[in-house]
């Protein structure tokens, strides 16, 4: 991996050039909501904000939109279908280390047989640029070792005194930089970036009370009913925790018919295991009718089932679910409640 420096002036030119390649998705401030950021398609480089703390929705939406039209159909004989997949190349810029890790984890989940075609097709047409961040009190990335994750991004930027230190991580990243002015990093640039990473790790205040790997055994042993019932008393089953999570990947697929019922569109939308109807199957049986069963499922899913299957927890410590929860159900607090409850039970 090589490193380059983009001074502020050079960075301005670099960000401008991104738009020559195709659409650019990046973090920007919500209209009339100062301090609230989201990933969206940018009109120009002036909209890009790289020193944000977190966004409401994660950048997975670039590859897996909350609502996506898959195809249009006409019920002629035989029926006709028209695919609606976007194929144009685009750039995702400004993804934080934890979110880059999540993208790679979704690669594994969607890539497992039977592979999910939309995700990999969208990943293949994108260039990804990451940027380092500073945590707020919801972030617990150091407990998940995602604070220095890079995933499979093409370039990774760290803020330094005179601009950005750029890690060139792929041949595509190399090509992106070849088109614009950049410099060999000085010893001070490298030292600046190192200081940033150290300060970031020091500023993370939320943490798990045990290594995250222990959660799988704790959840498998169960005996945690008291905790689940207490959390479920507060949970509204609104699903915000899932829909803001960079690692959640469940979706629903529906056919929406036009008036006249002769044609329509097939769409897929994000789904949430915390919604009451999520686990209803044919015949009307609901496998997780009770709220505590759904709450338990969220933790089992993230730290037990997917951990056992892929060898990594499906949580990156981004804190979005805790920020979004109006019932103040906090991922770190509940996980520590589980850890400490299990420790007391011996
Ligand atoms: S966001 Fe909070 S209240 Fe809503 S389902 Fe998740 S844990 Fe429950
Ligand atoms: S479970 Fe919560 S903290 Fe973990 S990755 Fe998802 S939103 Fe972030």
């Amino acid at each position: 991996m090589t490193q380059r420096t983009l001074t502020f002036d050079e960075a301005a030119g670099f960000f401008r050039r991104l738009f020559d390649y195709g659409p650019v998705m990046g973090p920007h401030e919500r209209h009339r909501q100062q301090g609230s950021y989201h990933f969206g398609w940018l009109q120009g480089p002036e909209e890009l904000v790289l020193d944000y703390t977190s966004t409401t929705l994660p950048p997975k939406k670039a590859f897996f939109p909350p609502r996506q039209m898959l195809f249009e159909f006409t019920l002629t004989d035989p029926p006709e279908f028209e695919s609606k997949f976007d194929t144009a190349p685009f750039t995702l810029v400004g993804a934080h280390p934890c979110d880059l890790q999540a993208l790679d984890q979704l690669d594994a989940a969607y890539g497992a047989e039977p592979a999910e075609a939309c995700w990999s097709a969208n990943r293949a047409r994108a260039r990804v640029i990451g940027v380092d961040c500073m945590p707020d009190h919801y972030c617990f990335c150091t407990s998940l070792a995602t604070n220095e994750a890079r995933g499979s991004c093409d370039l990774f930027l760290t803020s330094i005194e005179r601009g950005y230190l750029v890690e060139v991580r792929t041949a595509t990243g190399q090509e992106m930089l070849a088109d614009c002015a950049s410099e060999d990093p000085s010893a001070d640039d490298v030292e600046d970036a190192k200081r940033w990473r150290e300060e970031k790790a020091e500023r993370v205040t939320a943490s798990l009370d045990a290594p995250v790997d222990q959660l799988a055994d704790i959840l498998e042993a169960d005996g945690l009913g008291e905790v689940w019932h207490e959390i479920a008393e507060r949970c509204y089953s609104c699903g915000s925790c899932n829909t803001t999570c960079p690692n959640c990947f469940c979706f629903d697929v529906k056919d929406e018919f036009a008036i006249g019922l002769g044609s329509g569109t097939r769409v897929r939308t994000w789904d949430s295991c915390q919604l009451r109807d999520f686990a209803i199957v044919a015949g009307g049986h609901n496998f997780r009718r009770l709220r505590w069963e759904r709450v338990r499922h969220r933790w089992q899913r993230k730290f037990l089932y997917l951990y056992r299957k892929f060898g990594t927890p499906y949580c990156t410590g981004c804190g979005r679910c805790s920020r979004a929860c109006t019932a103040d159900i906090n991922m770190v607090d509940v996980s520590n409640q589980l850890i400490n409850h299990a420790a007391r039970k011996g």
Side-chain angles (χ1 to χ4, degrees):
M1 183 195 68
T2 56
Q3 294 186 322
R4 302 291 293 164
T5 286
L6 287 172
T7 63
F8 288 115
D9 278 352
E10 289 162 350
F14 170 74
F15 294 132
R16 258 196 318 275
R17 292 297 297 266
L18 293 181
F19 290 79
D20 296 342
Y21 178 78
V24 178
M25 180 178 277
H28 63 110
E29 197 163 34
R30 280 202 170 78
H31 185 52
R32 294 193 184 142
Q33 288 185 48
Q34 212 182 1
S36 172
Y37 301 94
H38 73 126
F39 276 91
W41 297 108
L42 305 177
Q43 299 301 311
E46 64 287 348
E47 283 191 335
L48 178 65
V49 178
L50 289 179
D51 59 347
Y52 69 101
T53 303
S54 184
T55 52
T56 313
L57 297 184
K60 77 175 180 191
K61 67 190 267 196
F63 311 102
F64 172 30
R67 177 187 160 86
Q68 182 178 17
M69 191 193 295
L70 300 177
F71 57 81
E72 289 179 337
F73 58 83
T74 310
L75 296 182
T76 44
D77 188 15
E80 288 172 11
F81 302 95
E82 192 186 342
S83 168
K84 286 290 164 185
F85 291 157
D86 283 332
T87 52
F90 70 94
T91 305
L92 170 68
V93 58
H96 286 169
C98 58
D99 287 337
L100 292 170
Q101 167 94 355
L103 293 178
D104 278 18
Q105 290 180 312
L106 293 185
D107 285 344
Y110 284 135
E113 289 301 329
E116 201 286 313
C118 298
W119 173 269
S120 50
N122 284 338
R123 285 284 270 157
R125 66 193 178 92
R127 314 182 306 178
V128 178
I129 303 171
V131 67
D132 215 345
C133 49
M134 280 293 165
D136 68 7
H137 65 279
Y138 288 106
C139 300
F140 59 109
C141 48
T142 46
S143 293
L144 280 307
T146 58
N147 50 312
E148 292 193 21
R150 298 291 182 263
S152 45
C153 72
D154 298 300
L155 295 173
F156 187 85
L157 315 182
T158 304
S159 185
I160 56 173
E161 185 92 16
R162 62 191 190 113
Y164 294 97
L165 185 79
V166 184
E167 296 169 26
V168 184
R169 306 195 64 85
T170 65
T172 301
Q174 185 86 48
E175 283 165 26
M176 289 162 82
L177 272 188
D179 286 349
C180 67
S182 66
E183 301 173 14
D184 286 332
S186 68
D188 282 350
D189 295 342
V190 175
E191 193 52 35
D192 271 3
K194 182 167 169 269
R195 260 199 304 274
W196 179 284
R197 289 191 294 276
E198 288 166 357
E199 186 182 336
K200 170 180 170 174
E202 280 165 19
R203 282 209 209 172
V204 176
T205 52
S207 64
L208 298 179
D209 288 346
V212 67
D213 296 328
Q214 289 184 14
L215 272 171
D217 287 343
I218 290 171
L219 290 162
E220 209 157 41
D222 210 2
L224 301 162
E226 210 179 291
V227 181
W228 302 131
H229 283 93
E230 194 252 296
I231 304 303
E233 282 289 305
R234 289 154 54 202
C235 175
Y236 304 120
S237 296
C238 66
S240 299
C241 44
N242 294 130
T243 45
T244 55
C245 179
N247 296 70
C248 282
F249 53 84
C250 290
F251 58 81
D252 198 4
V253 175
K254 289 180 187 150
D255 288 344
E256 296 179 350
F257 281 83
I259 295 173
L261 305 181
S263 63
T265 55
R266 179 162 293 181
V267 294
R268 87 172 175 173
T269 52
W270 290 358
D271 206 348
S272 161
C273 60
Q274 298 307 290
L275 301 179
R276 191 176 183 281
D277 293 350
F278 180 85
I280 291 182
V281 293
H285 181 70
N286 190 338
F287 281 96
R288 286 186 293 276
R289 186 176 60 83
L290 300 174
R291 212 177 318 143
W292 74 266
E293 295 172 318
R294 298 195 291 278
V295 170
R296 178 180 64 176
H297 179 75
R298 183 153 82 95
W299 264 266
Q300 287 179 327
R301 178 91 173 149
K302 301 215 153 288
F303 299 104
L304 173 58
Y305 306 144
L306 294 175
Y307 174 81
R308 293 274 192 250
K309 181 165 177 163
F310 295 108
T312 176
Y314 265 56
C315 169
T316 55
C318 75
R320 282 191 181 87
C321 55
S322 310
R323 280 185 207 96
C325 181
T326 45
D328 201 22
I329 295 170
N330 182 298
M331 179 49 90
V332 176
D333 293 347
V334 176
S335 299
N336 285 341
Q337 226 175 311
L338 297 171
I339 290 166
N340 295 316
H341 186 87
R344 274 197 305 278
K345 291 231 159 190

